[in-house]
Amino acid sequence: MRVIVILTLASLCAGCTESGRAFPLDDASLAAGVPKFQFVAQGIGQGPVTVTMPDGEILKGEYQVTENDAMAVSFAGTHMTTAVAAGSGRPVAVNATGPRGTILTCDGTLDLDGHGTLVCQTNHGTKYRIMV
């Protein structure tokens, strides 16, 4: 019984890891190679990120979603009305560092399904667009 529970939990966690496609934004970045971008979609607005750089350095970090929802409240005598409007593009930031000193920072937006685009840059000057 314990083995079945462990295997079930392992299969659920394996489905949580997603990847993004990276596209170099200039000739120098294209010459440096394309990184592999993976993250764990946890549904809580933040989670771990792993980026494997073209030279094999593995960067570890985190993504953070900043909600841009708005809320309005109106009063009419003894009655109150509340409305919540969710924005279509939620800002997201990524920071990851590697053991050899590479730092990757990204900014972008995600839709409500968790798909979107990021623009990333390393401290070495390489720039990428990541589609998730």
Side-chain angles (χ1 to χ4, degrees):
M1 180 65 165
R2 178 181 275 179
V3 172
I4 293 172
V5 171
I6 292 171
L7 290 175
T8 302
L9 290 175
S11 68
L12 289 174
C13 289
C16 299
T17 301
E18 298 187 33
S19 60
R21 294 183 60 201
F23 300 93
L25 292 178
D26 57 32
D27 291 338
S29 301
L30 180 62
V34 179
K36 294 178 183 169
F37 189 90
Q38 293 184 316
F39 62 99
V40 178
Q42 297 179 332
I44 57 174
Q46 65 184 38
V49 172
T50 302
V51 181
T52 304
M53 297 304 290
D55 65 359
E57 183 178 12
I58 297 174
L59 314 182
K60 298 281 186 179
E62 180 179 78
Y63 70 88
Q64 175 72 47
V65 175
T66 305
E67 297 293 336
N68 66 343
D69 296 344
M71 183 173 176
V73 179
S74 66
F75 297 94
T78 60
H79 294 78
M80 179 179 80
T81 303
T82 304
V84 176
S88 61
R90 302 178 315 167
V92 63
V94 175
N95 290 299
T97 58
R100 290 185 260 168
T102 301
I103 300 169
L104 178 79
T105 58
C106 308
D107 290 302
T109 58
L110 298 175
D111 63 19
L112 295 177
D113 292 333
H115 297 98
T117 183
L118 303 164
V119 175
C120 303
Q121 182 170 345
T122 68
N123 58 325
H124 304 299
T126 53
K127 300 173 189 165
Y128 304 95
R129 178 172 305 279
I130 310 293
M131 306 296 287
V132 294

